Amino acid sequence: MRAALPPAARRAAAQETATLAALAGTGPAPAALPMPPMAMPDLSQLSPDLLGVLMPMFLWLDALGRVQAAGPTLRKVCGRALRPGVSLFDMFVITRPPRLTSMADLRAHGSGRLHLALRARPRTGLRGIAVPLGPGLEGGMLLNLSFGLTVADAVRDHALTDSDFAPTDLTVEMLYLIEAKSAVMGELRGMNLRLERAHRNAVAEALTDPLTGLANRRALELALEAAMQAGGRSEAVPPFALAHLDLDFFKQVNDTLGHAAGDAVLTEVARILKAETRKHDLVARVGGDEFVLVLRMMTDPAALEALGRRIIARLEAPVLVGSGAATISGSLGVVLSVDYADPAPERMLADADRALYASKHRGRAAVTILRPE
Amino acid sequence: MHGLVNRSLQCFLRDTYGGDLWDAVARRAGIGPDGFEAMQIYDDALTEAVLGVAAQRLAKPPEALLEDLGAYLVSLEPLRRLLRFGGVGYADFLHSLDDLQGRAQLALPDLGLPALRLVAAPGGQFALHLGGGDVAGCTMARLAPPVLAGMLRAMADDYGALVLIELSGPQGAGRAGAIHIDLLQARYAKGRRFHLGLPVAEVAP
């Protein structure tokens, strides 16, 4: 079958195979296929109007750089500055390559990219390419221009519309993308804010006791870790006291008045503990009726004893719940970070627990401050 | 289904019928209180569930609800602008719909809009054919025709054109249906203004 093909068809088939191979990534990429003209076109048939359809931003210059004709969109952009005979260099400043100020420079530059800007306001930036018309110095040049990265501003500044761009030009697609991207970015920003809020809430929930709103055990551990690190390697840890509070007679409230009453009592206890401590102290509920207070910069045993007694006195005030009144009390065990060479949280918590049980043994409603020796 | 589609359905229901209706629909359809996220892909069944529950609660055919969604989308200025990029007149706009899928794909490769093909007949008659191939039968192919019809009606108002728009169901395999547009008068009323360039953002002196 193949051998029967005439030579031209065989050549075409071979070219097609080469192109397909290149598309599939299996063969060498073909160079652009050579396309010799059938005959030299009669360029005099290409009127400025037709040229403007193909390239709405063309600029035709004579040998001295004077404007002979310009495309309709470029005329719109340049406004009154664009009159027949005006020099390219009076209308535009060529910003790149530098020091390109004459037709000789422009011819020598070849067909590389040019960056230009309107001399008049709003100094719109343009890109362009120039080709010589004819081989000698007496021929003019043909420039084709387009908008650079400031295309969105240019379209607004010069009130351009879809019909100002050639159908082959992707400028309108670019504007479309810019606006679509902005809309999508707006959605993403909104989503980020929602996620951020959800994250903050999740973190807060993970560190909070839901009934009382106090810190939970995890928050206490984090706070103690942070307190240890606050001192740094060389300096001492900022001093603090650790108080362990266990409610007395709470089980009876739960048993006789019900769990709702118990919850009301716990909420009231939380309120009292918050009121009796300072903003930078930490109050944590670490068990059913167990609380731990981290009292920062508190090292005076007398002051701690007074605080403990005040808390116990307030806890002992009856809480009205439903039909009855709940009466509880509390026992406290306190340790001071300054009493430890290395105030490790686990050790201090264990010692505070021991101090608490000493209070319980002394008949409850007592404060025990555990000091060395 | 792309989150942007679901989110537009959510915003349409919330803005048009109130937050309570949306909350009720979301609960029944099994969506969290935050609703859909724009940049996530969801199961098609979720979109169908939202549409079904909303249509039932509002006692409206789902198609009518989708047409209203189309009109709502055009009322959003960024979207209206993107559609007006199509051209200076309503007929230009219709022809630009051929490019809509491609343009949307440039911005959001996984949006999944159906391909659109406009066939113009003499006397201002147009037929907009929707998607072929594998999109037929999926949720997008079912939702797109009424939403588009709603958008085309709203865009006619935007251009000030007088049109008759009719939906016809799928004809033959691989077709998702067509929309027939009868452009009676291109300049019937004064349309809304449009400039290709965005207005200058407010700049503090």
Side-chain angles (χ1 to χ4, degrees), chain B residues 59-199:
Chain B
K60 271 189 162 203
E63 284 68 31
L65 209 55
L66 290 170
E67 285 202 28
D68 291 349
L69 167 62
Y72 168 80
L73 289 175
V74 173
S75 77
L76 305 175
E77 183 62 12
L79 223 84
R80 180 186 85 95
R81 283 190 55 79
L82 290 177
L83 291 168
R84 283 288 298 247
F85 270 69
V88 283
Y90 192 69
D92 292 332
F93 160 72
L94 289 178
H95 281 288
S96 79
L97 293 175
D98 277 343
D99 286 336
L100 187 67
Q101 184 203 28
R103 284 179 164 173
Q105 206 160 9
L106 275 182
L108 293 161
D110 47 3
L111 187 58
L113 287 192
L116 301 176
R117 192 168 51 85
L118 188 82
V119 178
Q125 305 273 333
F126 299 88
L128 185 66
H129 297 277
L130 275 90
D134 57 344
V135 289
C138 79
T139 301
M140 179 59 99
R142 238 169 42 71
L143 303 196
V147 174
L148 260 172
M151 289 172 80
L152 293 182
R153 277 205 188 100
M155 285 306 286
D157 288 344
D158 211 87
Y159 277 102
L162 184 64
V163 295
L164 265 180
I165 287 171
E166 211 178 311
L167 262 174
S168 69
Q171 289 152 350
R175 287 267 178 93
I179 300 169
H180 298 277
I181 305 123
D182 194 351
L183 180 52
L184 300 172
Q185 216 174 321
R187 292 229 159 268
Y188 174 71
K190 204 163 179 295
R192 288 177 63 198
R193 287 167 69 81
F194 175 75
H195 298 288
L196 193 56
L198 269 173

Side-chain angles (χ1 to χ4, degrees), chain A residues 168-245:
Chain A
T168 47
D169 191 333
L170 288 178
T171 298
V172 177
E173 265 61 35
M174 176 103 132
L175 297 175
Y176 190 92
L177 261 186
I178 292 170
E179 295 201 15
K181 183 215 66 174
S182 305
V184 169
M185 290 292 274
E187 278 292 337
L188 282 181
R189 253 195 304 279
M191 176 164 125
N192 254 352
L193 282 177
R194 286 192 295 278
L195 287 180
E196 168 74 24
R197 211 162 33 225
H199 175 72
R200 265 205 307 271
N201 287 345
V203 168
E205 271 169 30
L207 298 177
T208 308
D209 168 44
L211 173 65
T212 59
L214 296 177
N216 62 13
R217 183 179 283 278
R218 175 82 191 121
L220 171 69
E221 285 164 3
L222 286 176
L224 288 175
E225 259 170 48
M228 295 303 122
Q229 278 155 8
R233 207 177 309 159
S234 52
E235 291 163 51
V237 168
F240 63 93
L242 201 65
H244 193 169
L245 162 73

